[in-house]
């Protein structure tokens, strides 16, 4: 009984995928819609600048701002500042 349900589910998924692929075929992209007014295409340099260089620059700017903002305040480590070592204890006793 389990195999029959799995086969049915697989056939349904495959049929749905096939229908979606057939309904959205790239051949329909060749026909123009009313009011469609595309501009000129991007050159290779413009494409690389827009989709490669710009995100990298934006990432670096954001990372730099985060690093500057992180270093602007004094770092206090509450755990290590509360620990007294043996050397600290000896100097406190002598003083």
């Amino acid at each position: 009984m389990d195999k029959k349900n799995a086969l049915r589910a697989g056939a349904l998924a495959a049929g749905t995928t096939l229908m979606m692929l057939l309904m959205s075929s790239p051949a329909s992209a060749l026909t123009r819609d009313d009011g469609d007014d595309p501009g000129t295409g991007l050159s290779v340099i413009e494409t690389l600048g827009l989709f490669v260089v710009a995100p990298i620059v934006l990432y670096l700017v954001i990372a730099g701002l985060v690093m500057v903002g992180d270093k602007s305040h004094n770092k206090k480590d509450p755990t290590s500042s509360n620990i007294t070592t043996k050397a600290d204890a000896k100097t406190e006793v002598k003083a």
Side-chain angles (χ1 to χ4, degrees), residues 76-84:
K76 294 182 180 178
D77 190 5
T79 56
S80 63
S81 62
N82 294 335
I83 297 173
T84 57

Side-chain angles (χ1 to χ4, degrees), residues 8-31:
R8 187 178 298 152
L12 181 66
T16 304
T17 304
L18 182 64
M19 288 303 294
M20 288 177 64
L21 285 172
L22 290 174
M23 296 290 283
S24 64
S25 66
S28 64
L30 296 176
T31 60

Side-chain angles (χ1 to χ4, degrees), residues 80-95:
S80 63
S81 62
N82 294 335
I83 297 173
T84 57
T85 61
K86 289 182 181 180
D88 291 337
K90 289 179 185 177
T91 55
E92 288 177 8
V93 174
K94 290 180 182 178

Side-chain angles (χ1 to χ4, degrees), residues 20-81:
M20 288 177 64
L21 285 172
L22 290 174
M23 296 290 283
S24 64
S25 66
S28 64
L30 296 176
T31 60
R32 303 288 300 271
D33 292 333
D34 290 339
D36 192 14
D37 189 21
T40 59
L42 296 175
S43 69
V44 175
I45 300 298
E46 291 172 333
T47 304
L48 288 175
L50 187 62
F51 294 107
V52 176
V53 175
I56 291 172
V57 168
L58 187 62
Y59 175 80
L60 291 175
V61 167
I62 292 172
L65 289 173
V66 168
M67 287 171 45
V68 167
D70 190 36
K71 291 182 179 181
S72 65
H73 67 284
N74 294 333
K75 290 188 177 183
K76 294 182 180 178
D77 190 5
T79 56
S80 63
S81 62

